[in-house]
Amino acid sequence: MKMWEGRFSQQSDRLMELFNNSLPVDQALIEEDVLQNKAWSKALAKAKIVQPAESDAICIALDELLADYAQGRLAFSAEDEDIHMALERLVTQKAGVAGAKLHTGRSRNDQVATVFRMYVKKALKNITGLVSMLQSTLVGRADNEQDIFVPGYTHLQQAQPVVLAHYWLSLFWALEREKSRLDHAASTADSMPLGAGALAGSGFAVDREFLARELGFGSITDNSMDAVAARDFVLEALFAITSLAIVLSRYAEDLIIWSSGEFGFIELADAWSTGSSMMPQKKNPDSLELIRGKCGRFAGNLTRMATTLKGLGLTYYKDLQEDKEPLLDSVAQIVLVLNVFAQVVATLTVKQRTILHKMDPFLYATDIADYLVARNVPFREAHRIVGKIVAFCIENRRELSSLSTAEFARFSSAFAEDVGTLFTLSNAVAHRDLHGGTGPESIARQLRKAKKLLD
Amino acid sequence: MKMWEGRFSQQSDRLMELFNNSLPVDQALIEEDVLQNKAWSKALAKAKIVQPAESDAICIALDELLADYAQGRLAFSAEDEDIHMALERLVTQKAGVAGAKLHTGRSRNDQVATVFRMYVKKALKNITGLVSMLQSTLVGRADNEQDIFVPGYTHLQQAQPVVLAHYWLSLFWALEREKSRLDHAASTADSMPLGAGALAGSGFAVDREFLARELGFGSITDNSMDAVAARDFVLEALFAITSLAIVLSRYAEDLIIWSSGEFGFIELADAWSTGSSMMPQKKNPDSLELIRGKCGRFAGNLTRMATTLKGLGLTYYKDLQEDKEPLLDSVAQIVLVLNVFAQVVATLTVKQRTILHKMDPFLYATDIADYLVARNVPFREAHRIVGKIVAFCIENRRELSSLSTAEFARFSSAFAEDVGTLFTLSNAVAHRDLHGGTGPESIARQLRKAKKLLD
Amino acid sequence: MKMWEGRFSQQSDRLMELFNNSLPVDQALIEEDVLQNKAWSKALAKAKIVQPAESDAICIALDELLADYAQGRLAFSAEDEDIHMALERLVTQKAGVAGAKLHTGRSRNDQVATVFRMYVKKALKNITGLVSMLQSTLVGRADNEQDIFVPGYTHLQQAQPVVLAHYWLSLFWALEREKSRLDHAASTADSMPLGAGALAGSGFAVDREFLARELGFGSITDNSMDAVAARDFVLEALFAITSLAIVLSRYAEDLIIWSSGEFGFIELADAWSTGSSMMPQKKNPDSLELIRGKCGRFAGNLTRMATTLKGLGLTYYKDLQEDKEPLLDSVAQIVLVLNVFAQVVATLTVKQRTILHKMDPFLYATDIADYLVARNVPFREAHRIVGKIVAFCIENRRELSSLSTAEFARFSSAFAEDVGTLFTLSNAVAHRDLHGGTGPESIARQLRKAKKLLD
Amino acid sequence: MKMWEGRFSQQSDRLMELFNNSLPVDQALIEEDVLQNKAWSKALAKAKIVQPAESDAICIALDELLADYAQGRLAFSAEDEDIHMALERLVTQKAGVAGAKLHTGRSRNDQVATVFRMYVKKALKNITGLVSMLQSTLVGRADNEQDIFVPGYTHLQQAQPVVLAHYWLSLFWALEREKSRLDHAASTADSMPLGAGALAGSGFAVDREFLARELGFGSITDNSMDAVAARDFVLEALFAITSLAIVLSRYAEDLIIWSSGEFGFIELADAWSTGSSMMPQKKNPDSLELIRGKCGRFAGNLTRMATTLKGLGLTYYKDLQEDKEPLLDSVAQIVLVLNVFAQVVATLTVKQRTILHKMDPFLYATDIADYLVARNVPFREAHRIVGKIVAFCIENRRELSSLSTAEFARFSSAFAEDVGTLFTLSNAVAHRDLHGGTGPESIARQLRKAKKLLD
């Protein structure tokens, strides 16, 4: 029998029960619902709506049920629409009349919103922790790879040399912003709806501040209609995770390309690669490909929630039951993605020799232009001169560094003997040592700041 | 031990195995993979690559494994990356050397693409059948509700009267187009990749036409690289399902509004409604709300696949492993949605008395304008005149039908005694009897054509 | 002639120029680019790369160009790929060699990222201001409508009575969170990339802190590769706007339904409604429908940017040129939406008489259950009892308030004479006066806090 | 003055007019609207609602207006809400009373739906033509590049050699499916709504079959409510374009990677590349990057329309006004993308020497496994043996082709003298000559079929 079926003359269709049932999904929130039920029973006792002994009985029953669940021994019934109805039923079995009082002054609307926010807060905190772990891995590599040169790319064309540490740190800083977004999403979820009732506020003057303290909320919601209708906290969490996944997909793309035979800059550990069912020689960076491919999943979950919310009136509609599955999926998957990405980065091998071999000699072109500027050639003119030199080199299959001073001088009288000193990677890199650049002091500064942030 | 690990010196990390493993998802394709394996073993025998007896042994083993699976007795191993590797391993356990020959001339790339297309074809056919079932329900209601008047709406403002049959039939015709899209998606999937190998074509001259006949494909793919890289068949299936879900969400919205107390046009059967955990009087159209809300899920799955595919080079990348989950989810959920929607429509009660009571007397305004046009007033002028009459009625709290001929005549000399005959619903409806209109002959014509299409 | 064509032997195809040209879009950033160019020329002077007089000449030229643009007198050329190249060309025309030095030590990569962030910050601040304006409108209505009763809905079924002020305030609080998200997005954009060069850092030691102060940035980016590659600031801005639009779409949906003849709760001002080209009686809430419909646009722009960014390697690719159009569109449209929404709310008429007439007598059901709870009936039992009473009323076409005490007592001995006092709206509302509820003190508290926040 | 303002007492707000106005967008449909108006006036004449002379006057006026528009001389007014109202107003200016009769029996609802479907049909046909043009380019290259070997990739790891013709043809076949989807979308739009009126059917018995013939529609809609509410034709067109764009983004990704210095397989023509504002040596494949990046735009437009349609009741709501902008944008941009892509492919240079140089000797690994299979080694065993050989080669820095028969024999006794014949590209490719493979006869067959399809 349904808990609400007093006014109904006909039973639910079995298919309707299946369609309506969210238990397979929302039992993931059992821990949060137990905490919430316990706090609520205490608040009811505080408000003299139940006896202290009744509240105690409820709490004991709940602890037992959670323990049962943890051991796979909780027996759900076909009538349990969701974890909340299931727990109320089971508490009532154990605690009798006390259990029948548990739902006093509360609606599933405020209850579900509260429990789900608790879950979102916990999940986001966990994800933020994993991002920090990945950042540590990056800092570790950067620390060791301050002297490894790699081409910096734009348009997948070699542009200017950088040190590999600079590349790893670029992700570090991007992740700082992702953490800030995750934190903001968590703060959005950190206001407690409990006490909002179905939509108009509870009919009993429970102590909401007490409840918030018990449940670890930073504040309580100010309006009961907003409290039960709002799902922006889900949307924002889904967005923060998507944004994070997009950044990771971008670095995964780079590393997949760097793993190709043609680049050959890095090699993934065997433990994070896979082979082919047909081609015996293959070693594939599947881990990174999955990370990149799963980006679609996160974006899809975001679109899903946005579409469901669009044009949905107030306050609660059953459409909102569709809020949990995308969030649970995005959380579970980003946890995997972060762990795998950190391991892949930690265990890959950098092939400095190959990288040096593949450096394009034209990488110094900007430095030549800058050299001319320092000798008073306006930049736009300098750019044009170096363009001509590059064209000359391509046509004559020459390398920049092989040109004599006299040859340089044919393009501009500003060139002098010292132009030859430009053609070393360490000079090129050292040259770009302002705040944020790839020069050694800038790298050291980044590392110091990064380590401090991680502490 | 992995089937491909010959060249690897280090084992996969356990987390990598978990991350990479698609067995929990792709075992849904076991039936198709068994069929494909059996057909492949026959083709290998036909090409003299295996002995007929070996092919037989493989087929027997596969049938046993499928039977085991159906009974929940198939023992997967931690090393089984996917259903395909699992079956090969298990066949080899049963059939020995024959099993070890099964993967000859084939790659998981062409195998997975083939098996997944088979699944998509089957699923889309099933969905199309359910759409037809829903259409039958609509025709049934339309047949019985040719004389029930309801307001037709634009902007949720009553616009012109129609018969309820016309409304139900509007969905019938929309669903015809959805079926056409589902069919087209199925035809996209109806070309067999098997024989494409990893990407360059099988190294053995297997008879692909024979395979296609065995597996029920209408054609074979023309290019092996396209065959293993393409996932447009997944994307199109996801789109066709999304488009269908969007149409259903629109009608669900209408029916939810019609179920409100303020409208009160229909009442859902108790079996397809639910109550409130807190408010004893509530009876909520949860079934329709879930149908509307789940629309987000379908759109999300489409975005998910599109995002994963964007910018993914050829031919196969592990990113593509993310193709099955959204499709399986969309298929399973649209099946539920179609069944529930049909039941809700079949069992709802129409409250004609309430509807008539709520009909806006201004519904006849267009008919008055048309009346003037028939008396040679240019339409734009007629529209303006009726606008003035409406304004007059609102200001003076009068109904259109209460105006005397003299009063009408104050607005235009074209009004005559017979203006009074306009104010009946049956006249208003009969008036619009051209092809596609809400008039009785148009309804009869629609019903005839609809029934013929369903046969 | 292109500024970069030194090394090219063949000219761009005309179609390529058209395809590549972003000037029609990015000239919207001209004001920001002028500021950035001026600050950059000053920084170059500070670093002794240009003469103070050259910097002055550049600044004067830029001011003139901006003034020309404002008057529609700026002559772009077919070779101007974007606003940045156009300005450099035009400055050079005016200021000669000084202009040719302007691009020293800078790349379009860091330049565009800087200018776009400036634009995003300005736009988000403007939007936040408009949200506050809408909030003021809501507070104004709430102030005046503390005594207007409306049904609160769940599932579009009347659930419990609230005061209209509570409804308006629910949007106020939702908007507080939207403002917080807009602020966070602005803070993401508030770090200056200028000085990052193409990707490795400028080759000249310009004073980035000075530049940040000049341009109003709160900080400078820490890593040049991240600085030019990152577009999370665009994505986050698009998300914040989408989230805001979704909330507005939900309230628009409510108000559209409330505008229907069947509800008749509100009437939009003529100034914010439109008529029909065909049906003279129609008055349609087009303003609200557009607000709801445009929600798709914002969600689409978000998906667009997410899809473009997915899997895009570092650092800059031309794919990123697609970042501006969705942002400019979302900004322009949300500005319209917010203005219109505020006006619609400010000018609509509430029809209290109609609302009262349509209140469902069962709205008191929860209060009866709460009454029983106060008389020591366990809530779950009370819920069931009231369910039975509701079923009895429906069957016998009775209203709750019409039942005698004796009739109530047939359902539970806990009912006493005072049950009759439950059936007034003001009692029902007063009953829910805890923090966040619809009771009078809670409303007063909300209003005080809301007004304080707006100050 | 608005054409519908008869019943209104207050004028539209100026902001409302701006917000509501779709003229800047929908004037793109002027040609279709003129055709539709002319056909409608003839149908009115046929039904004796207007005089033949009136119909003629209307048609003449419309032709004049279209000519004026083409010359930029059409004067719109601030009150023209859309192109349809504008044309009616202007026709009435020119043709007097005849113009005032033009809107008889018609609503903007059926009018807009009709005109938009005409536009969609035309646009999709145009796009299909451009796809064929791109296919011709591909066939042209394939014809000439049947003997150019390139590595086929999975996971961006070299897998098996193919001929370049096979790669170009893979896109040819993918585009065949895209054309089929575009055609299906056009067929969805090919049913005429005109005559549906506002929603209930026209009040005048116009000859819809005549109208359909005049306007080139294949059929007429069967239900007036569906006719004005449906926008699946827009959604399907947006999807078909998105699907096409995704395929192009995948090939663009490949070609961008092939353009990198590290791959160096191709070089884009200067005409389809661009340089850098800062780095003189750069030559960037911007054309392909834009094609890939714009994929987000198409996906965004699809999400946009899906979101707008979700949960939108029947029949017409102003939300639907948001249908044109995404379609017009997707059409205009895919036309650019297709033209550019075809040009890029037609003009790029293939660097066969570099490609051969970068071929991985392990590309023959599958062939060795197949060799063993032909000598009766079960495939799974053969795969494992070759895996060991590969590991041996890597460890000892040997190439497969350098192993002596004796060395091979250490891994399996099945190896014989002829193993050495495996190591030529032409053998490896010839080996895979079944239908769809990369072998010479398969390529010839593909080319014959492709050319036939293009005729």
PDB file of all heavy atoms in Angstrom, chain B residues 123-137:
ATOM      1  N   ALA B 123      16.376  -2.441 -32.069  1.00  0.00           N
ATOM      2  CA  ALA B 123      15.776  -1.520 -31.099  1.00  0.00           C
ATOM      3  C   ALA B 123      14.867  -0.514 -31.794  1.00  0.00           C
ATOM      4  O   ALA B 123      13.757  -0.217 -31.314  1.00  0.00           O
ATOM      5  CB  ALA B 123      16.881  -0.796 -30.325  1.00  0.00           C
ATOM      6  N   LEU B 124      15.304   0.000 -32.926  1.00  0.00           N
ATOM      7  CA  LEU B 124      14.490   1.010 -33.618  1.00  0.00           C
ATOM      8  C   LEU B 124      13.197   0.386 -34.144  1.00  0.00           C
ATOM      9  O   LEU B 124      12.141   1.014 -34.127  1.00  0.00           O
ATOM     10  CB  LEU B 124      15.291   1.652 -34.750  1.00  0.00           C
ATOM     11  CG  LEU B 124      16.469   2.524 -34.307  1.00  0.00           C
ATOM     12  CD1 LEU B 124      17.234   3.052 -35.512  1.00  0.00           C
ATOM     13  CD2 LEU B 124      16.002   3.700 -33.436  1.00  0.00           C
ATOM     14  N   LYS B 125      13.297  -0.855 -34.580  1.00  0.00           N
ATOM     15  CA  LYS B 125      12.083  -1.538 -35.069  1.00  0.00           C
ATOM     16  C   LYS B 125      11.085  -1.710 -33.924  1.00  0.00           C
ATOM     17  O   LYS B 125       9.883  -1.493 -34.085  1.00  0.00           O
ATOM     18  CB  LYS B 125      12.485  -2.905 -35.640  1.00  0.00           C
ATOM     19  CG  LYS B 125      11.454  -3.464 -36.591  1.00  0.00           C
ATOM     20  CD  LYS B 125      11.893  -4.777 -37.199  1.00  0.00           C
ATOM     21  CE  LYS B 125      10.660  -5.527 -37.696  1.00  0.00           C
ATOM     22  NZ  LYS B 125      10.967  -6.927 -38.043  1.00  0.00           N
ATOM     23  N   ASN B 126      11.602  -2.063 -32.792  1.00  0.00           N
ATOM     24  CA  ASN B 126      10.755  -2.223 -31.611  1.00  0.00           C
ATOM     25  C   ASN B 126      10.083  -0.894 -31.250  1.00  0.00           C
ATOM     26  O   ASN B 126       8.879  -0.837 -30.972  1.00  0.00           O
ATOM     27  CB  ASN B 126      11.629  -2.724 -30.448  1.00  0.00           C
ATOM     28  CG  ASN B 126      10.818  -2.938 -29.183  1.00  0.00           C
ATOM     29  OD1 ASN B 126       9.627  -3.230 -29.250  1.00  0.00           O
ATOM     30  ND2 ASN B 126      11.461  -2.769 -28.053  1.00  0.00           N
ATOM     31  N   ILE B 127      10.853   0.171 -31.270  1.00  0.00           N
ATOM     32  CA  ILE B 127      10.303   1.490 -30.935  1.00  0.00           C
ATOM     33  C   ILE B 127       9.223   1.882 -31.941  1.00  0.00           C
ATOM     34  O   ILE B 127       8.158   2.383 -31.566  1.00  0.00           O
ATOM     35  CB  ILE B 127      11.439   2.544 -30.904  1.00  0.00           C
ATOM     36  CG1 ILE B 127      12.394   2.235 -29.744  1.00  0.00           C
ATOM     37  CG2 ILE B 127      10.877   3.953 -30.773  1.00  0.00           C
ATOM     38  CD1 ILE B 127      13.703   3.007 -29.790  1.00  0.00           C
ATOM     39  N   THR B 128       9.499   1.651 -33.216  1.00  0.00           N
ATOM     40  CA  THR B 128       8.503   1.982 -34.236  1.00  0.00           C
ATOM     41  C   THR B 128       7.192   1.229 -33.973  1.00  0.00           C
ATOM     42  O   THR B 128       6.104   1.790 -34.124  1.00  0.00           O
ATOM     43  CB  THR B 128       9.048   1.628 -35.635  1.00  0.00           C
ATOM     44  OG1 THR B 128      10.304   2.285 -35.807  1.00  0.00           O
ATOM     45  CG2 THR B 128       8.104   2.078 -36.719  1.00  0.00           C
ATOM     46  N   GLY B 129       7.321  -0.012 -33.559  1.00  0.00           N
ATOM     47  CA  GLY B 129       6.115  -0.781 -33.232  1.00  0.00           C
ATOM     48  C   GLY B 129       5.337  -0.144 -32.087  1.00  0.00           C
ATOM     49  O   GLY B 129       4.100  -0.066 -32.127  1.00  0.00           O
ATOM     50  N   LEU B 130       6.057   0.343 -31.099  1.00  0.00           N
ATOM     51  CA  LEU B 130       5.385   0.983 -29.961  1.00  0.00           C
ATOM     52  C   LEU B 130       4.744   2.302 -30.370  1.00  0.00           C
ATOM     53  O   LEU B 130       3.698   2.679 -29.838  1.00  0.00           O
ATOM     54  CB  LEU B 130       6.377   1.196 -28.827  1.00  0.00           C
ATOM     55  CG  LEU B 130       6.863  -0.089 -28.150  1.00  0.00           C
ATOM     56  CD1 LEU B 130       8.006   0.213 -27.180  1.00  0.00           C
ATOM     57  CD2 LEU B 130       5.713  -0.775 -27.412  1.00  0.00           C
ATOM     58  N   VAL B 131       5.368   2.997 -31.298  1.00  0.00           N
ATOM     59  CA  VAL B 131       4.745   4.229 -31.789  1.00  0.00           C
ATOM     60  C   VAL B 131       3.426   3.886 -32.476  1.00  0.00           C
ATOM     61  O   VAL B 131       2.406   4.564 -32.278  1.00  0.00           O
ATOM     62  CB  VAL B 131       5.695   4.990 -32.747  1.00  0.00           C
ATOM     63  CG1 VAL B 131       4.983   6.185 -33.367  1.00  0.00           C
ATOM     64  CG2 VAL B 131       6.955   5.436 -32.019  1.00  0.00           C
ATOM     65  N   SER B 132       3.416   2.832 -33.247  1.00  0.00           N
ATOM     66  CA  SER B 132       2.172   2.418 -33.910  1.00  0.00           C
ATOM     67  C   SER B 132       1.097   2.062 -32.872  1.00  0.00           C
ATOM     68  O   SER B 132      -0.079   2.391 -33.035  1.00  0.00           O
ATOM     69  CB  SER B 132       2.427   1.208 -34.808  1.00  0.00           C
ATOM     70  OG  SER B 132       3.264   1.557 -35.880  1.00  0.00           O
ATOM     71  N   MET B 133       1.517   1.417 -31.822  1.00  0.00           N
ATOM     72  CA  MET B 133       0.567   1.086 -30.752  1.00  0.00           C
ATOM     73  C   MET B 133      -0.037   2.367 -30.163  1.00  0.00           C
ATOM     74  O   MET B 133      -1.235   2.470 -29.960  1.00  0.00           O
ATOM     75  CB  MET B 133       1.296   0.303 -29.669  1.00  0.00           C
ATOM     76  CG  MET B 133       0.442  -0.060 -28.480  1.00  0.00           C
ATOM     77  SD  MET B 133       1.488  -0.236 -26.985  1.00  0.00           S
ATOM     78  CE  MET B 133       2.163   1.449 -26.840  1.00  0.00           C
ATOM     79  N   LEU B 134       0.818   3.360 -29.931  1.00  0.00           N
ATOM     80  CA  LEU B 134       0.304   4.630 -29.423  1.00  0.00           C
ATOM     81  C   LEU B 134      -0.632   5.271 -30.441  1.00  0.00           C
ATOM     82  O   LEU B 134      -1.692   5.812 -30.086  1.00  0.00           O
ATOM     83  CB  LEU B 134       1.477   5.568 -29.096  1.00  0.00           C
ATOM     84  CG  LEU B 134       1.143   7.018 -28.774  1.00  0.00           C
ATOM     85  CD1 LEU B 134       0.114   7.137 -27.652  1.00  0.00           C
ATOM     86  CD2 LEU B 134       2.422   7.783 -28.387  1.00  0.00           C
ATOM     87  N   GLN B 135      -0.274   5.175 -31.693  1.00  0.00           N
ATOM     88  CA  GLN B 135      -1.153   5.738 -32.725  1.00  0.00           C
ATOM     89  C   GLN B 135      -2.520   5.056 -32.710  1.00  0.00           C
ATOM     90  O   GLN B 135      -3.553   5.709 -32.881  1.00  0.00           O
ATOM     91  CB  GLN B 135      -0.511   5.581 -34.106  1.00  0.00           C
ATOM     92  CG  GLN B 135       0.646   6.541 -34.366  1.00  0.00           C
ATOM     93  CD  GLN B 135       1.239   6.327 -35.747  1.00  0.00           C
ATOM     94  OE1 GLN B 135       1.606   5.211 -36.103  1.00  0.00           O
ATOM     95  NE2 GLN B 135       1.328   7.383 -36.538  1.00  0.00           N
ATOM     96  N   SER B 136      -2.529   3.738 -32.498  1.00  0.00           N
ATOM     97  CA  SER B 136      -3.812   3.016 -32.418  1.00  0.00           C
ATOM     98  C   SER B 136      -4.669   3.564 -31.276  1.00  0.00           C
ATOM     99  O   SER B 136      -5.887   3.744 -31.424  1.00  0.00           O
ATOM    100  CB  SER B 136      -3.573   1.526 -32.184  1.00  0.00           C
ATOM    101  OG  SER B 136      -2.958   0.958 -33.295  1.00  0.00           O
ATOM    102  N   THR B 137      -4.018   3.793 -30.171  1.00  0.00           N
ATOM    103  CA  THR B 137      -4.744   4.357 -29.022  1.00  0.00           C
ATOM    104  C   THR B 137      -5.348   5.706 -29.396  1.00  0.00           C
ATOM    105  O   THR B 137      -6.507   6.001 -29.057  1.00  0.00           O
ATOM    106  CB  THR B 137      -3.773   4.534 -27.840  1.00  0.00           C
ATOM    107  OG1 THR B 137      -3.195   3.274 -27.541  1.00  0.00           O
ATOM    108  CG2 THR B 137      -4.489   5.091 -26.627  1.00  0.00           C
TER     109      THR B 137
END
